[in-house]
Amino acid sequence: MSETKLPQSSSSSPVCAWNEWDPLEEVIVGTCTGAVVPPWHISLAGAMPSESEAFFKEHGGTPFPQERIDAANRNLAELTSLLESEGVKVRRPKPVEQALPYAAPDWSSPSGVYNAMPRDLMLVIGDEIIETPGAWRSRYFEFKSFRDLLKEYFHAGARWTAAPRPELTDELFVQDYTPPAPGEPMRYVLTEFEPVFDAADFVRCGSDLFCHRSNVTNAAGIEWLRRHLGSEFRIHEIEVEDTMPMHIDSTFMPIAPGKVVINPDRVKKVPDALRHWDILVPPRPTIPDSHPLYMSSKWITMNVLMLDENRVVVEENEEPLIHAFKEWGFTPVPCPFRDFNSFGGSFHCATLDVRRRGTLQSYV
Ligand code: GLY
């Protein structure tokens, strides 16, 4: 592995992060206030646990039970305190009412979803913050809760970009989609009608980014980002075995120079670019079956946040994972987060690292 220093963009920007592990200085932490059960749409068929379909069909568009929201918000408050105690500046979005219907010329949505997962909506590459073209109609206006922060960062010098707003018309979705059975060839709910992607389908390792095609990120979305970032960056699409792909950060998580955590159920072939890296295979999650996970698999345990290339924020109940991180030479920083996990994410999803102290380098 070589660490080659490359030419820099502006470093005086309030927004600057090149990878997943440089020392964290400023972060946005989402909120569950106002969270609404996603209204059912075919786009969810390829991304949400199949057991949740009936729940979404019955309760979609109505608020999650208040006690679940309160419990998840307590987790977010714990995370905020932990980050602040480690010297990280924490910013919070403005909760925006989600239980309201809205319409575009070609479609309507009974509601929004939440303001909980800034990782999905925005991608920070150096001093640029890119708003992503999400594929869910119910998340179309989710950026609204983050706009005050984005305007502040813009006025302070950040580059602020929005990818082309998708139309999200019926042509984007395979209307009779069903996920493949294990062993069947992969098929996706998204067509290539227009570019769509979530930022959480990309992870950053300096001048190399890794991504996977998923049921919220199509090939055109990956190509849009590749052309947008230009020749200074390489985007590697990794092969995964996941019949319900949505977001790479429970599948493939680079956590330090030369170290990547891979999901043993999903990553069968490590990209050639990382052949000199340490491949860390985490122990299986211990989340009990009785714990509700409406919007993710148990592998949400892998969705960790690095405070720097040594300290890793990890769910406090995941003893085997905490032990593994110690064995691998990291310092685990445990935090309660199971109630937040019920909403489909963990520490990486719930945050957006706005500023990490570091420079653009090549690590592969
Ligand atoms: N969406 C990531 C997972 O469920 O594992």
Side-chain angles (χ1 to χ4, degrees), residues 21-247:
W21 57 74
D22 277 341
L24 186 59
E25 295 185 338
E26 181 163 337
V27 70
I28 301 173
V29 171
T31 175
C32 281
T33 300
V36 163
V37 178
W40 182 255
H41 177 256
I42 192 64
S43 52
L44 278 66
M48 294 289 100
S50 51
E51 313 83 70
S52 295
E53 183 171 330
F55 176 73
F56 292 152
K57 283 182 172 160
E58 186 177 348
H59 299 288
T62 65
F64 272 100
Q66 192 58 44
E67 65 274 15
R68 292 222 166 277
I69 291 175
D70 292 344
N73 274 340
R74 282 195 293 276
N75 283 176
L76 290 165
E78 292 255 14
L79 176 63
T80 298
S81 302
L82 183 155
L83 292 166
E84 286 175 343
S85 73
E86 299 285 345
V88 179
K89 182 174 179 181
V90 178
R91 314 298 304 272
R92 303 300 301 274
K94 183 175 71 182
V96 169
E97 174 66 63
Q98 298 293 324
L100 291 173
Y102 53 86
D106 303 293
W107 51 265
S108 61
S109 178
S111 72
V113 182
Y114 49 32
N115 316 121
M117 311 287 176
R119 184 71 59 184
D120 303 352
L121 309 180
M122 293 164 283
L123 184 60
V124 174
I125 309 274
D127 69 342
E128 181 176 26
I129 190 160
I130 303 168
E131 287 184 36
T132 55
W136 284 18
R137 292 172 176 174
S138 55
R139 302 189 75 182
Y140 198 76
F141 287 109
E142 211 165 289
F143 62 84
K144 208 167 148 46
S145 30
F146 301 92
R147 274 286 167 96
D148 286 351
L149 287 168
L150 290 179
K151 283 184 272 189
E152 181 194 314
Y153 293 137
F154 171 68
H155 289 305
R159 290 190 297 139
W160 176 20
T161 305
R165 300 300 294 168
E167 294 182 71
L168 305 187
T169 51
D170 286 349
E171 293 97 317
L172 180 62
F173 309 102
V174 177
Q175 297 298 331
D176 59 353
Y177 180 80
T178 53
E184 273 183 9
M186 187 54 196
R187 54 178 179 263
Y188 297 91
V189 72
L190 298 173
T191 69
E192 295 298 330
F193 174 65
E194 62 187 339
V196 286
F197 63 95
D198 272 5
D201 272 327
F202 295 81
V203 283
R204 303 151 300 167
C205 302
S207 50
D208 292 85
L209 286 85
F210 295 86
C211 73
H212 70 19
R213 196 172 152 197
S214 78
N215 278 321
V216 288
T217 293
N218 61 11
I222 297 171
E223 183 56 23
W224 183 87
L225 188 64
R226 187 173 276 130
R227 286 189 211 168
H228 177 74
L229 293 179
S231 57
E232 208 177 356
F233 294 88
R234 289 177 295 265
I235 297 186
H236 308 260
E237 191 177 330
I238 65 162
E239 288 173 35
V240 300
E241 290 183 18
D242 183 3
T243 55
M244 307 285 281
M246 178 180 181
H247 300 161

Side-chain angles (χ1 to χ4, degrees), residues 47 242 244 246-247 250-251 266 295-300 344:
D242 183 3
M244 307 285 281
M246 178 180 181
H247 300 161
S250 294
T251 295
R266 298 180 184 162
M295 300 168 72
S296 81
S297 74
K298 290 186 184 180
W299 280 112
I300 207 67

